[in-house]
Amino acid sequence: MIVIDGKGVSGGLARGPICFLRRSAADVTKIRTDNLKAEQDRITAALSESAAQLKILAEKARTEADHETAGLFEAHALLAEDEIYTETIMNILREQQCCAEYAVQTAGEQFAAMMTAMNDEYLSARAVDIKDVTRRILNNLTGAADNGIISKTPVILAADDLTPSETLQLDKSKILGFITAEGSDNSHTAILARSMGIPAICGLGSGLRQEYDGLDACIDGSSGKVYIEPDETALSELETQYARRQEFRESLEDMKGREDITLDGRRLTVCCNVGSPDDIAAVQNNDGSGIGLFRSEFLYLAASDYPSEEEQFKVYREAAEAMNGKRVVIRTLDIGADKQAAYFQLRKEENPALGMRAIRICLNRPEIFRTQLRALYRASAYGNVAIMFPMITSVWEVRECRRICAEVMAELDAEGIPYRKDTEIGIMIETPASVLIADALAKEVDFFSVGTNDLTQYALACDRQSAELDRFFDPHHPAVLRALKMAADAAHAAGIRIGICGELGADPELLETFLAIGIDELSVSPASVLPLRAKIRETTAGTCTLDLLKC
Ligand code: PEP
Ligand code: MG
């Protein structure tokens, strides 16, 4: 048994085979093998699977597209069955004693290079076909598909790191857990894993080795430990822990249906953060008092083109209806920095966290913003929807957002489309600028929600993505807690409510501080609702102090 240590970023236990994410043909590495027969069989199976898929595509193209496209797929199928191509792959396999993937990739590259070198326009174009067929064969070998599905059976997915869009595009039914070499607690991938309730460990560094691919493993998302080929003692210890945690969770069942209220009657509402309507079942199962943050950008990240007004409306309406009158705060598009979608064609930036992201993109590209706002207002007719703007730094930004909202409402009026005119508008407090001018901002909006992930990043000048900076990224820092207090005082002076929707909200150690500051709402991953409610119900708000704000 080998044990590797990382940072547990999403609790829970999982057991299954480790499977390394293979992004594309470019990621194939040469793995030596003694079992050439097994690799040969894999190649033969992948070749015939590819040829069969291509023949089906050719059929489909003949009925649904045109003869030219059908002909192209037929030519691709012929290549997958071509004797010279197959022989070349098998020769490489024998000569290099390597894995099937490496042999296929090398043969594909050699064939493509040969075609390009012929200096003939027609043959050069065939190089692209060879690459395409090679990619298909590789996908069939690895179980990966163009949409990022990794394996045919559920696995513990391993990778150097995962981007939020990769995480979203994975087939969740095949993922038992995530383990990554890089990454941090505050990365969006960790946040996504928590909201999906999938155990995850990041920051495993060089301890996570490619040679573990395919081995049986157990991961403990709470302790951050990965057990490769776990022995009997480790397994029984993990089973005991699992039973203990189950018992704890069952003891919390009693908290369902109870109010989020302290012993002395102070209300601190516990809502949930979600990334898609798929997460709403978990909100309901954990009796969340509402949705305090719906990260709408995940809708954009999971798509290959801008989601239309109709597509968005459907999703927002579904969320509003499913929550049955409970409040659903939908944050407008917060894309940029680590959340990239190729079709936005965002320019590569030196400092993306300080660059063109979130509300800046929406204000610069109002057509995208308008489509989303129309969908949001239309959904407001079906439940208790509130709209929230991210990454605000100035009063003029809020005014411009509100002006566009007013235009959208006027359009809907003219078209006779129903919506709620009193839909609340809030902003995220996640930049030091917004804290410092919180008094002015509070006069412009209906509520504040503090994004402590970004607020910590910007207040401490510390990249939230970096595993290396872990010890410097301290959301308990007095600067962050004082910022919270300043924003809360400004909100209450203006008579509006303030919540926390960053990851810090779920930290039970800070509950008394939040009560002393006067926070009105916490929005956390669904699994954190009941433990927090239990703690709130055994705390007396009147005796909570602000000691942690001292340096
Ligand atoms: C935050 O910054 O705390 C937040 C809730 O937003 P995100 O994590 O999506 O940036
Ligand atoms: Mg943020």
Side-chain angles (χ1 to χ4, degrees):
M1 177 177 78
I2 300 164
V3 182
I4 41 178
D5 277 300
K7 190 167 175 62
V9 293
S10 178
L13 296 169
R15 183 176 183 188
I18 292 185
C19 174
F20 270 81
L21 175 70
R22 291 177 173 88
R23 290 191 170 88
S24 66
D27 291 330
V28 170
T29 50
K30 183 175 177 181
I31 300 172
R32 288 198 147 273
T33 178
D34 296 330
N35 195 349
L36 284 185
K37 170 80 177 64
E39 297 303 293
Q40 256 167 5
D41 290 347
R42 288 180 64 219
I43 292 170
T44 309
L47 284 169
S48 66
E49 197 174 347
S50 304
Q53 287 167 348
L54 287 160
K55 283 174 194 167
I56 292 170
L57 284 173
E59 281 291 298
K60 209 164 176 276
R62 190 158 293 111
T63 49
E64 293 173 19
D66 51 65
H67 284 292
E68 201 184 329
T69 314
L72 186 73
F73 284 128
E74 270 162 8
H76 281 196
L78 284 177
L79 181 64
E81 291 174 325
D82 183 82
E83 253 178 57
I84 304 176
Y85 180 62
T86 311
E87 252 327 286
T88 309
I89 297 173
M90 296 302 186
N91 283 342
I92 292 169
L93 185 80
R94 282 188 290 271
E95 280 161 20
Q96 309 235 8
Q97 308 261 310
C98 58
C99 59
E101 287 87 344
Y102 187 78
V104 169
Q105 164 142 304
T106 311
E109 280 169 357
Q110 283 180 4
F111 258 64
M114 212 164 68
M115 295 288 182
T116 314
M118 286 188 184
N119 239 344
D120 174 292
E121 210 177 305
Y122 175 80
L123 290 176
S124 292
R126 300 289 69 76
V128 177
D129 294 335
I130 289 166
K131 284 183 191 158
D132 207 7
V133 176
T134 304
R135 183 180 48 79
R136 176 176 296 277
I137 300 166
L138 282 170
N139 283 347
N140 282 324
L141 267 176
T142 59
D146 289 343
N147 65 0
I149 298 167
I150 305 304
S151 161
K152 288 170 182 162
T153 54
V155 294
I156 292 173
L157 183 69
D160 50 350
D161 206 355
L162 285 165
T163 67
S165 54
E166 276 173 337
T167 313
L168 278 166
Q169 283 168 32
L170 295 167
D171 178 351
K172 311 302 171 299
S173 66
K174 297 203 178 122
I175 310 290
L176 302 165
F178 295 115
I179 49 176
T180 61
E182 310 283 326
S184 75
D185 206 6
N186 292 285
S187 66
H188 284 98
T189 300
I191 290 170
L192 273 171
R194 280 195 285 274
S195 67
M196 298 185 308
I198 295 178
I201 298 171
C202 68
L204 289 160
S206 55
L208 182 59
R209 297 156 68 152
Q210 187 83 34
E211 67 211 49
Y212 301 149
D213 200 23
L215 298 187
D216 178 39
C218 238
I219 66 169
D220 179 353
S222 305
S223 69
K225 286 193 188 308
V226 179
Y227 302 82
I228 316 266
E229 299 194 311
D231 59 23
E232 284 308 314
T233 322
L235 282 174
S236 89
E237 168 62 19
L238 288 167
E239 260 166 39
T240 315
Q241 273 183 38
Y242 180 75
R244 221 178 290 139
R245 284 179 208 165
Q246 274 301 102
E247 217 174 281
F248 174 64
R249 286 222 67 85
E250 276 158 26
S251 73
L252 290 171
E253 283 293 301
D254 185 39
M255 285 295 121
K256 290 186 181 170
R258 306 245 176 179
E259 289 189 295
D260 303 315
I261 207 157
T262 60
L263 286 174
D264 51 346
R266 171 91 72 80
R267 190 170 295 280
L268 176 52
T269 314
V270 188
C271 297
C272 295
N273 294 345
V274 300
S276 84
D278 295 347
D279 299 337
I280 292 174
V283 179
Q284 289 163 335
N285 288 340
N286 289 281
D287 192 33
S289 296
I291 291 177
L293 169 62
F294 185 124
R295 287 181 162 96
S296 71
E297 59 277 8
F298 291 148
L299 207 83
Y300 292 73
L301 292 175
S304 52
D305 202 352
Y306 298 101
S308 67
E309 177 183 323
E310 214 48 43
E311 283 164 339
Q312 294 192 57
F313 165 62
K314 233 174 122 234
V315 170
Y316 305 147
R317 174 182 169 168
E318 192 184 325
E321 286 181 336
M323 290 306 290
N324 210 6
K326 288 183 179 172
R327 192 158 173 263
V328 179
V329 180
I330 304 181
R331 174 173 77 183
T332 58
L333 179 64
D334 184 11
I335 210 157
D338 62 318
K339 291 181 273 194
Q340 294 286 338
Y343 62 89
F344 271 79
Q345 297 188 326
L346 298 175
R347 201 173 51 77
K348 204 163 165 18
E349 296 171 298
E350 286 291 321
N351 294 305
L354 305 181
M356 190 51 73
R357 58 169 294 200
I359 204 66
R360 299 172 184 174
I361 294 179
C362 289
L363 293 178
N364 270 10
R365 296 168 72 175
E367 67 291 352
I368 298 175
F369 198 27
R370 249 171 224 285
T371 304
Q372 182 169 39
L373 289 174
R374 277 183 63 97
L376 286 170
Y377 274 107
R378 284 176 58 195
S380 73
Y382 297 87
N384 186 1
V385 171
I387 299 174
M388 177 160 78
F389 302 120
M391 274 292 287
I392 293 294
T393 56
S394 305
V395 169
W396 71 262
E397 293 167 338
V398 181
R399 292 193 178 147
E400 201 163 317
C401 290
R402 292 205 83 128
R403 183 180 57 72
I404 301 173
C405 285
E407 284 173 8
V408 164
M409 284 194 277
E411 266 171 33
L412 295 177
D413 280 334
E415 294 165 34
I417 297 175
Y419 67 94
R420 273 181 66 164
K421 284 200 183 357
D422 59 351
T423 300
E424 283 194 335
I425 300 278
I427 56 168
M428 293 199 60
I429 298 291
E430 50 185 350
T431 62
S434 64
V435 174
L436 294 168
I437 61 163
D439 54 342
L441 290 169
K443 294 188 186 119
E444 307 283 330
V445 294
D446 301 313
F447 65 94
F448 281 170
S449 184
V450 186
T452 48
N453 310 333
D454 276 317
L455 185 59
T456 306
Q457 150 161 281
Y458 296 126
L460 305 185
C462 197
D463 184 354
R464 64 188 270 188
Q465 296 290 115
S466 164
E468 205 185 5
L469 291 175
D470 203 35
R471 122 181 138 93
F472 300 97
F473 189 95
D474 175 16
H476 287 214
H477 194 291
V480 178
L481 300 179
R482 285 185 192 193
L484 266 175
K485 169 96 171 69
M486 277 178 71
D489 289 348
H492 293 147
I496 65 168
R497 287 163 57 82
I498 181 165
I500 296 176
C501 62
E503 297 304 296
L504 196 64
D507 188 339
E509 271 180 50
L510 287 179
L511 180 63
E512 295 194 6
T513 305
F514 296 153
L515 283 164
I517 287 175
I519 298 298
D520 302 297
E521 178 184 301
L522 298 172
S523 192
V524 297
S525 64
S528 300
V529 170
L530 297 177
L532 263 180
R533 180 171 297 156
K535 192 148 191 313
I536 290 170
R537 293 178 63 83
E538 63 193 30
T539 306
T540 305
T543 57
C544 295
T545 55
L546 287 170
D547 295 346
L548 293 177
L549 270 62
K550 295 194 190 113
C551 293

